[in-house]
């Protein structure tokens, strides 16, 4: 949408003054607008992406560039980078969309029976019907069964499952519920730095206080209780800290927290009476040897009733990542543990305002948590596709770390999970000064230059937060392996060129 | 927790909804009741009420989701071509990719074209954003207009009766929903004097910043006259209000003497300076009309005359809604670009409104009598739907206005009938004893005794001392007949028992 962002403007060409009438004062001006909106920023789709889109347009118009194509390695969109959808899921959803296909012999029986079950749960047997705002009953039950199985039998109540429009919808809804108070008693929410910018944007929009705790880059981006304590103690002076957000596996950092770390965080949350928000959308994306996904809920319950009866927790999952990569369907769920009943009633009310999440996304979430089982016709192919996708991602994670670490001035922590690398880059002093002169963060300056010279679109670390004086970029590991190799070598070349130019 | 969310008032509907779900389940499990099924006409949900999706829409959707279908022989050529085109517009050729925040560029352009042709006034893609449903767009605009920190609180004038979730959204954002009453005796007319009264009253408790209008009306089914629309526009201009026009039912007008005119068009008819200064947000969606695809979540907002300084912030706010579901975007695309004469799917789809070539909208009102002469050999889905709804509305008015103690204003458009119950003092007292609003009491009993699930007027607001029920009229013909049969029998008995 290249031209659009540059010209978004409600006024038509003729100026009002030409009509001779005085301009009516606008109702919505910069002064009357909700002040919190001014604080909202969202780096992943910010100015660098807009420039990338412009360059794409220029290329398609035949303009000469030092590159053949723009590679958008900024956003965690697997299909856009060529990852194939899971056949079974698409078959079931197609059957649900156009049930005449149930008579088509090219569709496997298990796909058909899933489709029939989904349609039976829909009003008028159609995905076009509103569902209950908390989500389709049978899907919530499937999610509960999945969670229970994943967590070694820990009971999951379907009533605690809310289907959402992607995980973002659930996260923002929970934050809306949590944020209250004025001045020094305004709600504070702890978020990891670096963080996924949806959190900071949502907190800004809600006028909440953002409490930054730094992940430890030297220790593979792990969480450090000492650092959590420091951040919290400082924050208590000017706000009321009430929630702690964790992304595991991490975005943008890719770390997979070990079990002990998760236990420590739970103890910390219990001690400090914080509501835990566990963003676990990358739970199947674990690559590194020795790393394993531990769900916060499972660990919580294994720590015994002292914790499992008291700590308030919301965990989030979605259809956008893992091996499915179905961002466009906007499927997701959240599980709410130990929430006060009255608050839960209000939550149910709050979600009813947006009526219901997209039904195809709900159906897809149901399939993700209830995939083909051994013995079913589609099982073999499903496992093949799933394994291929996850192992390709693991290979690309390793490749990325390896190549980036051969570049002097770039140092990349192991990409243990998720879909991104977040290497640290050294930027020469001269470049830092030039960036300042242009009013840009140094890593934004770096990334913009990278884009103009190579067509590669990354997101500067300043969009995610980082320790003062350090610079990073986030690059997805999603492009196909051959393209990724080219991408990495171009980044390497660019970095060396850039460093030399500003030495 | 957030005090604003807490003020979102407790909903009596939840118990009724749960009861309806429970009864449905019991019937499924074979339990015997005086009726064989629940007739669920509580929501504006055509598919839920038994209407069928349009074949063309679902074929294209299926082919987009599972492109292997494009290789087979079973889908019409135009379906395949359309799916291929849509997939080319998706990153990586997949409906599983994120799209631009405001929607796929080509679809937004087609929406702009649809609006331009509908209104005879140019629409610009840069002012249009696709969202997962019109309520999402509305909530975003309200986020800009309201502020939880403002003192005095900011207010939005909302129609009574009106959409039940809008006051909740306003309250949750720290605003005040200030009511203006539609005039039932005059066919739910929106009167300028009432707007003035409402504004003066609102100013006592808040600072009003916007006026929210629903046209065609929900639940009222009225369609505003040109004169009424002009009054609204001038009122908004004089009082420095932002105009929020919910026009999701624009495709559903049944009365031959009514016509949907968009607020944007009406504004332009009034010319400058108003046309170039009045801030307007218009909302539409694929959930209603002939498509009825509520579950796909496709809606859009068109913004007009915004302060250019504010626009970058509007965009940033919209960026927080990561990407509208692609299935919803496809529904919007097909809504504004239906099959054309000559396309293989056209006979089945059959959109024969005389306006079809001018405004290309799926628009119900012009069901010309010649369409009823049965000269077309195929079941024409859109035509069939149109006739069904026009007939349903006639039947509803006929049946209800013949019954004692119930009366219904003409349903000129929209998705619902909103008849008034003239309850006896005995009935009202019985309700109060049961701890319920009288119309909630009526609906509860109606559900229990007949399986007909409708919602009470108290959900939408109504003049003090009046009671109503709301039910969806977008149902198959026999469902409507059965509904009216059960409702009539119940109503007579209810009124007799509590006379």
């Amino acid at each position: 949408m290249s031209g659009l962002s540059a010209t978004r403007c409600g006024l038509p060409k003729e100026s009002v003054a030409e009509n001779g009438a005085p301009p009516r004062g606008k109702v919505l001006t910069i002064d009357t607008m909700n002040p919190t909106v001014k604080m909202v920023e969202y780096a992943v789709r910010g100015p660098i992406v807009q420039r990338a889109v412009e360059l794409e347009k220029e290329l398609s118009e035949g303009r000469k560039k030092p590159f053949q194509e723009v590679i958008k390695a900024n956003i965690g969109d697997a299909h856009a980078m060529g990852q194939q959808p899971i056949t079974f899921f698409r078959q079931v959803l197609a059957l649900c969309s156009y049930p005449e296909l149930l008579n088509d012999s090219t569709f496997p029986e298990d796909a058909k029976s899933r489709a029939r079950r989904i349609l039976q749960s829909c009003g008028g047997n159609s995905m076009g019907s509103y569902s209950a705002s908390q989500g389709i009953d049978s899907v919530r039950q499937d999610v509960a069964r999945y969670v229970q199985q994943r967590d070694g039998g820990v009971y999951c109540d379907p009533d605690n499952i809310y289907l959402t429009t992607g995980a973002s919808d659930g996260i923002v809804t929970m934050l809306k519920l949590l944020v209250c108070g004025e001045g020094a008693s305004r709600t504070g929410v702890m978020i990891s730095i670096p963080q996924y910018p949806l959190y900071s944007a949502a907190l800004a929009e809600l006028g909440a206080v953002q409490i930054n705790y730094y992940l430890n880059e030297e220790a593979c981006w792990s969480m450090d209780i000492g650092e959590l304590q420091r951040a919290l103690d400082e924050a208590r002076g000017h706000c009321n800290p009430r929630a702690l957000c964790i992304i595991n596996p991490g975005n943008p950092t890719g770390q997979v927290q070990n079990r002990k770390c998760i236990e420590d965080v739970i103890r910390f949350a219990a001690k400090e009476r914080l509501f835990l928000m566990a963003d676990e959308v990358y739970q199947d994306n674990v690559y590194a040897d020795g790393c394993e996904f531990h769900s916060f809920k499972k660990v919580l319950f294994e720590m015994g009733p002292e914790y499992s009866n008291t700590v308030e927790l919301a965990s989030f999952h979605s259809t956008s990542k893992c091996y499915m990569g179905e961002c466009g369907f906007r499927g997701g769920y959240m599980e709410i543990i130990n929430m006060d009943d009255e608050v839960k009633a209000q939550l149910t009310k709050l979600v009813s305002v947006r009526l219901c999440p997209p039904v195809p996304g709900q159906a897809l979430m149901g399939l993700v948590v209830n995939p083909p089982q051994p013995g079913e016709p589609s099982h073999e192919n499903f496992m093949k596709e799933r394994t291929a996708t996850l192992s390709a991602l693991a290979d690309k994670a390793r490749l990325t770390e390896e190549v980036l670490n051969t570049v002097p001035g770039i140092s990349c922590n192991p990409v243990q999970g998720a879909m991104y690398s977040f290497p640290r880059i050294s930027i020469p002093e001269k470049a830092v000064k030039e960036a300042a002169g242009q009013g840009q963060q140094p890593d934004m300056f770096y990334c913009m230059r990278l884009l103009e010279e190579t067509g590669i679109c990354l997101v500067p670390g300043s969009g995610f937060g980082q320790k003062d004086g350090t610079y990073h970029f986030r690059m997805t590991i999603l492009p196909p392996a051959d393209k990724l190799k080219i991408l990495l070598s171009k980044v390497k070349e660019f970095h060396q060129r850039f460093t030399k130019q500003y030495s | 927790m957030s005090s604003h969310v807490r003020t979102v008032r407790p909903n009596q509907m939840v118990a009724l909804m749960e009861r309806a779900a429970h009864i449905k389940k019991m019937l499924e499990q074979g339990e015997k009741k005086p009726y064989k099924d629940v007739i669920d006409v509580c929501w504006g949900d055509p598919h839920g009420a038994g209407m069928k999706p349009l074949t063309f829409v679902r074929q294209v959707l299926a082919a987009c989701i599972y492109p292997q279908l494009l290789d087979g022989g079973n889908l019409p050529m135009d379906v395949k071509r359309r799916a291929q085109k849509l997939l080319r517009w998706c990153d990586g050729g997949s409906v599983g990719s994120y799209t631009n925040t405001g929607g796929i560029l080509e679809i937004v352009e087609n929406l702009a074209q649809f609006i331009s042709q509908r209104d005879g006034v140019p629409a610009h893609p840069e002012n249009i954003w696709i969202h997962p449903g019109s309520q999402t767009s509305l909530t975003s605009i309200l986020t800009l207009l309201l502020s939880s920190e403002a003192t005095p609180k900011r207010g939005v004038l909302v129609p009574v009766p009106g959409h039940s979730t809008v006051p909740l959204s306003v309250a949750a954002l720290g605003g005040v929903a200030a009511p203006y009453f539609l005039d039932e005796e005059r066919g739910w007319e929106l009167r300028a004097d009432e707007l003035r009264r409402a504004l003066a009253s609102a100013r006592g408790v808040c600072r009003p910043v916007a006026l929210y209008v629903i046209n065609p009306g929900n639940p009222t089914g009225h369609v505003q006259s040109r004169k009424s629309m002009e009054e609204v526009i001038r009122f908004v201009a004089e009082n420095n209000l932002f105009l929020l026009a919910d026009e999701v039912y624009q495709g559903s007008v049944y009365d031959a003497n009514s016509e949907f005119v968009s607020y944007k068009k009406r504004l332009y008819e009034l010319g400058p300076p108003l046309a170039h200064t009045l801030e307007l947000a218009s909302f539409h969606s694929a959930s209603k009309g002939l498509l009825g695809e509520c579950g796909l979540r496709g809606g859009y907002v068109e913004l007009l005359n915004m302060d250019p300084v504010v626009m970058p912030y509007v965009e940033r706010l919209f960026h927080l809604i990561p990407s509208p579901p692609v299935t919803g975007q496809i529904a919007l695309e097909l809504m504004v670009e239906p099959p054309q004469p000559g396309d293989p799917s056209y006979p089945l789809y059959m959109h024969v409104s005389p306006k079809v070539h001018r405004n290309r909208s799926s628009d119900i009102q012009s069901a010309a009598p010649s369409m009823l002469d049965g000269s077309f050999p195929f079941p024409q889905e859109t035509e069939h739907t149109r006739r069904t709804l026009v007939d349903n509305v006639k039947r509803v008015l006929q049946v209800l206005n013949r019954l004692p103690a119930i009366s219904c204003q003409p349903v000129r458009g929209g998705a619902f009938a909103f008849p008034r119950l003239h309850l006896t003092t005995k009935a009202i007292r019985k309700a109060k004893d049961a701890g319920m609003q009288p119309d909630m009491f009526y609906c509860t009993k109606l559900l229990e005794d007949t399986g007909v699930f409708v919602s009470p007027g108290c959900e939408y607001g109504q003049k003090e001392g009046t009671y109503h029920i709301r039910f969806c009229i977008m149902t198959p013909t026999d469902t409507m007949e059965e509904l009216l049969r059960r409702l009539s029998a119940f109503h007579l008995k209810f009124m007799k028992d509590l006379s």
Side-chain angles (χ1 to χ4, degrees):
Chain A
M1 259 178 156
S2 61
L4 299 188
S5 305
T7 58
R8 278 190 191 275
C9 163
L11 289 178
K13 300 288 158 56
E14 322 114 73
S15 127
V16 171
E18 281 166 14
N19 294 313
R24 170 191 187 236
K26 292 289 174 190
V27 177
L28 188 60
T29 67
I30 199 83
D31 299 313
T32 63
M33 184 179 83
N34 184 345
T36 62
V37 178
K38 281 188 217 150
M39 310 302 299
V40 171
E41 303 213 352
Y42 188 58
V44 178
R45 289 173 187 262
I48 198 161
V49 180
Q50 287 166 20
R51 180 65 190 144
V53 174
E54 269 167 36
L55 286 171
E56 263 178 336
K57 190 152 181 272
E58 288 176 20
L59 269 178
S60 73
E61 287 165 0
R63 296 257 294 267
K64 275 230 135 310
K65 294 278 162 199
F67 46 86
Q68 311 281 41
E69 62 172 326
V70 171
I71 302 181
K72 299 228 264 299
N74 58 300
I75 191 166
D77 186 344
H79 291 198
M81 289 286 115
Q83 181 176 307
Q84 292 302 299
I86 298 291
T87 303
F88 181 77
F89 295 160
R90 294 303 189 88
Q91 285 174 331
V92 176
L93 291 172
L95 288 162
C96 289
S97 302
Y98 184 50
E100 289 293 307
L101 293 171
L102 289 166
N103 300 321
D104 183 332
S105 55
T106 63
F107 286 85
E109 267 317 305
D110 50 355
K112 290 184 180 179
S113 75
R114 294 306 173 91
R116 282 189 198 101
R117 184 161 169 269
I118 290 168
L119 289 173
Q120 252 158 34
S121 322
C122 296
N125 291 341
S126 164
M127 289 207 298
S129 179
Y130 285 124
S131 75
S133 33
Q134 198 170 338
I136 296 172
D137 236 19
S138 63
V139 173
R140 292 192 300 124
Q141 283 164 24
D142 287 348
V143 169
R145 252 191 303 270
Y146 160 80
V147 171
Q148 204 160 301
Q149 199 173 25
R150 179 197 68 190
D151 294 344
V154 174
Y155 176 61
C156 178
D157 184 350
D159 224 36
N160 290 338
I161 303 293
Y162 289 75
L163 300 185
T164 55
T165 305
S168 312
D169 173 33
I171 291 165
V172 171
T173 300
M174 282 308 304
L175 289 174
K176 276 190 182 151
L177 212 58
L178 285 164
V179 173
C180 66
E182 311 283 326
S185 67
R186 189 84 184 139
T187 300
V189 177
M190 299 185 71
I191 62 176
S192 61
I193 301 299
Q195 53 106 27
Y196 171 49
L198 169 78
Y199 287 91
S200 52
L203 292 177
E205 190 201 325
L206 292 168
V209 177
Q210 180 174 325
I211 304 170
N212 295 334
Y213 67 88
Y214 288 84
L215 298 175
N216 189 346
E217 183 159 18
E218 274 70 51
C220 216
W221 297 115
S222 59
M223 290 176 77
D224 184 326
I225 298 298
E227 166 57 15
L228 283 173
Q229 193 72 61
R230 176 212 62 78
L232 182 70
D233 292 340
E234 251 176 56
R236 283 209 193 281
H238 60 268
C239 71
N240 180 16
R242 302 185 68 216
L244 167 58
C245 300
I246 298 114
I247 310 175
N248 182 47
N251 174 10
T253 51
Q255 91 281 13
V256 176
Q257 300 296 345
N258 64 37
R259 201 212 151 87
K260 174 167 183 309
C261 190
I262 294 178
E263 281 181 18
D264 288 344
V265 169
I266 291 173
R267 267 185 216 103
F268 177 78
K271 179 174 84 118
E272 303 290 351
R273 306 218 345 110
L274 297 169
F275 194 107
L276 270 173
M277 305 248 298
D279 181 340
E280 299 175 326
V281 301
Y282 297 101
Q283 56 191 263
D284 293 332
N285 298 111
V286 176
Y287 316 121
D289 284 332
C291 286
E292 198 187 325
F293 170 72
H294 302 280
S295 86
F296 264 84
K297 185 187 175 198
K298 178 174 188 201
V299 176
L300 175 66
F301 276 75
E302 287 173 353
M303 286 168 72
E306 178 197 346
Y307 294 99
S308 60
N309 283 345
T310 58
V311 174
E312 290 150 86
L313 166 68
S315 11
F316 305 92
H317 193 19
S318 109
T319 62
S320 302
K321 312 296 177 187
C322 294
Y323 61 91
M324 307 79 73
E326 299 281 15
C327 314
F329 279 92
R330 317 305 303 125
Y333 77 77
M334 59 183 177
E335 183 186 7
I336 313 288
I337 306 291
N338 290 330
M339 185 182 272
D340 174 276
D341 280 336
E342 268 179 49
V343 176
K344 194 144 173 280
Q346 294 302 322
L347 170 62
T348 306
K349 196 87 235 291
L350 194 59
V351 302
S352 75
V353 169
R354 55 100 173 94
L355 298 173
C356 75
V359 174
Q362 296 188 46
L364 178 58
M365 194 73 243
L367 295 171
V368 167
V369 298
N370 187 14
Q373 293 302 304
E376 289 178 342
S378 303
H379 180 253
E380 196 181 314
N381 199 45
F382 167 77
M383 285 308 295
K384 216 169 77 179
E385 291 177 349
R386 180 182 191 274
T387 308
T389 296
L390 287 175
S391 69
L393 285 169
D395 290 340
K396 292 188 280 191
R398 260 190 304 276
L399 175 72
T400 298
E401 182 200 336
E402 266 165 33
V403 174
L404 289 177
N405 278 326
T406 65
V407 186
I410 298 187
S411 117
C412 185
N413 268 324
V415 178
Q416 296 174 335
M419 290 178 171
Y420 318 94
S421 65
F422 196 67
R424 180 161 166 191
I425 52 176
S426 59
I427 297 185
E429 205 37 55
K430 264 193 191 160
V432 174
K433 285 206 174 70
E434 188 165 326
Q438 294 190 21
Q440 274 183 337
Q441 291 288 336
D443 45 21
M444 171 65 93
F445 178 71
Y446 177 99
C447 288
M448 280 294 205
R449 283 283 300 277
L450 176 70
L451 176 61
E452 300 286 344
E453 290 181 22
T454 67
I456 299 169
C457 182
L458 309 178
V459 190
S462 45
F464 301 91
Q466 57 205 343
K467 270 214 169 92
D468 264 341
T470 67
Y471 311 109
H472 302 78
F473 61 70
R474 187 188 81 166
M475 185 172 106
T476 70
I477 56 165
L478 297 173
D482 49 351
K483 215 171 248 179
L484 184 65
K485 285 197 183 88
I486 297 172
L487 215 148
L488 290 167
S489 71
K490 283 195 175 179
V491 169
K492 179 171 180 167
E493 278 162 28
F494 169 82
H495 187 86
Q496 289 166 333
R497 233 181 12 249
F498 184 88
T499 307
K500 189 147 176 250
Q501 182 190 346
Y502 288 99
S503 62
Chain B
M1 56 168 271
S2 165
S3 61
H4 298 306
V5 178
R6 229 186 307 137
T7 61
V8 165
R9 61 174 167 74
N11 200 334
Q12 293 182 295
M13 269 301 289
V14 175
L16 190 63
M17 283 159 57
E18 284 173 357
R19 186 67 190 150
H22 186 66
I23 293 177
K24 273 185 201 168
K25 211 178 263 179
M26 291 201 293
L27 286 170
E28 268 163 38
Q29 288 167 358
E31 186 157 323
K32 286 237 145 297
K33 286 215 158 275
Y35 42 89
K36 64 172 170 60
D37 55 9
V38 168
I39 298 183
D40 185 342
V41 279
C42 188
W43 314 108
D45 184 347
H47 295 192
M51 300 299 274
K52 295 283 160 243
L54 292 170
T55 301
F56 180 75
V57 172
R58 291 314 189 79
Q59 286 174 332
V60 172
L61 195 62
C64 287
I65 288 173
Y66 189 56
Q68 284 82 329
L69 288 169
L70 297 171
D71 302 326
N74 293 335
L75 294 175
M77 269 319 294
D78 54 346
V79 167
K80 290 187 180 181
R81 268 198 307 267
R82 196 69 80 94
Q84 279 161 343
K85 190 162 76 162
L86 282 160
L87 288 174
R88 273 199 299 273
W89 297 345
C90 296
D91 274 348
S94 165
V95 296
S97 294
Y98 285 122
T99 70
N100 281 313
T101 311
I104 293 171
L105 171 59
E106 290 86 350
I107 297 180
V108 175
E109 283 171 351
N110 286 341
L111 290 176
Q113 205 173 8
F114 157 77
I115 296 168
S116 304
Q117 285 181 295
R118 180 195 67 191
D119 296 340
V121 175
H124 303 282
E126 54 260 36
N127 295 332
I128 299 167
W129 281 266
I130 298 176
H131 288 138
S134 58
Q135 288 302 304
T136 303
S137 306
L138 178 62
T139 304
S140 275
I141 305 296
L142 288 174
T143 304
L144 285 163
L145 287 165
L146 302 172
S147 164
S148 57
E149 292 161 10
T151 40
K153 286 191 172 186
R154 296 187 183 171
V156 179
L157 291 166
V158 298
V160 171
H163 202 308
S164 56
T165 56
V166 172
L168 303 182
S169 296
V170 170
L173 290 166
V176 173
Y180 63 89
F181 291 84
L182 302 173
D183 190 337
E184 181 161 18
E185 271 74 50
R186 286 188 165 90
W188 298 112
E189 188 187 341
L190 200 176
R191 297 173 55 80
D193 53 356
E194 168 56 18
L195 281 179
R196 284 190 286 272
R197 181 214 63 79
L199 183 67
S201 169
R203 282 187 172 139
V205 294
C206 67
R207 184 165 82 77
V209 295
L211 172 72
Y212 174 66
V213 172
I214 312 173
N215 183 45
N218 168 12
T220 51
H222 72 280
V223 176
Q224 275 193 284
S225 66
R226 275 192 139 79
K227 174 164 169 294
S228 177
M229 292 178 77
E230 180 175 346
E231 287 174 351
V232 167
I233 289 169
R234 293 199 186 283
F235 172 80
V236 159
E238 276 158 23
N239 293 290
N240 221 45
L241 298 170
F242 195 107
L243 183 56
L244 303 164
D246 183 338
E247 299 177 324
V248 301
Y249 295 105
Q250 58 186 268
S252 309
V253 175
Y254 314 118
D255 174 42
N257 298 320
S258 298
E259 188 194 354
F260 169 76
V261 176
S262 75
Y263 261 96
K264 183 181 177 200
K265 180 174 181 181
R266 195 69 191 97
L267 179 63
Y268 269 79
E269 284 172 353
L270 298 175
L274 283 178
H276 297 153
T277 57
L278 196 118
E279 288 144 281
L280 169 66
S282 325
F283 305 93
H284 192 18
S285 115
S287 298
K288 314 298 174 184
L290 291 169
L291 260 70
E293 298 282 6
C294 312
L296 299 186
R297 317 307 300 120
Y300 73 78
V301 58
E302 183 190 13
L303 295 177
L304 195 65
N305 295 330
M306 301 285 283
D307 183 335
V309 177
V310 163
M311 282 314 293
Y313 297 100
V314 175
E315 284 179 54
R316 277 198 216 172
L317 198 61
F318 284 168
H319 278 325
L320 284 188
I321 311 166
S323 174
V326 180
T327 47
Q329 297 194 47
I330 291 173
L332 282 171
E333 162 69 11
L334 299 176
M335 179 178 84
V336 301
E337 295 269 307
Q340 293 300 303
D343 292 346
S345 300
Y346 183 73
L348 182 61
Y349 188 96
M350 201 49 159
H351 179 63
V352 293
S353 160
K355 289 192 173 73
V356 68
H357 302 295
R358 185 158 63 82
N359 67 14
R360 307 173 81 182
S361 68
S362 301
D363 142 272
I364 287 181
Q365 71 185 77
S366 343
S370 62
M371 287 302 104
L372 303 177
D373 69 5
S375 60
F376 296 93
F378 313 108
Q380 304 94 36
E381 294 176 340
T382 57
E383 191 42 46
H384 176 72
T385 298
R386 251 187 301 174
R387 274 196 331 219
T388 301
L389 299 185
V390 168
D391 288 346
N392 282 354
V393 162
K394 281 205 187 83
R395 262 318 263 155
V396 166
L397 268 289
Q398 212 173 42
V399 170
L400 295 186
N401 283 332
R402 266 203 304 239
L403 289 171
I406 189 169
S407 62
C408 193
Q409 292 296 318
V411 177
R412 304 196 192 280
F416 307 100
F418 194 64
R420 181 162 166 195
L421 306 170
H422 303 274
L423 299 174
T424 59
T425 10
K426 204 172 177 193
I428 295 170
R429 211 177 329 122
K430 190 137 194 247
K432 301 242 157 101
D433 289 345
M436 284 195 236
Q437 289 293 317
D439 40 22
M440 177 65 83
F441 177 69
Y442 184 98
C443 291
T444 306
K445 236 181 156 321
L446 176 67
L447 174 64
E448 279 310 317
D449 294 356
T450 71
V452 173
F453 180 29
V454 306
S455 50
C458 55
E459 272 297 290
Y460 311 98
Q462 55 203 344
K463 243 198 186 118
E464 186 83 35
T466 67
Y467 311 105
H468 300 79
I469 56 172
R470 183 192 87 160
F471 60 89
C472 181
I473 49 91
M474 293 179 157
T475 72
T477 306
D478 29 6
T479 306
M480 182 53 68
E481 273 312 307
E482 180 59 18
L483 188 168
L484 291 170
R485 191 191 65 75
R486 295 188 201 177
L487 176 60
S488 303
F490 169 84
H491 183 77
L492 288 167
K493 183 165 189 300
F494 183 92
M495 286 307 172
K496 183 157 169 269
D497 289 350
L498 294 166
S499 59

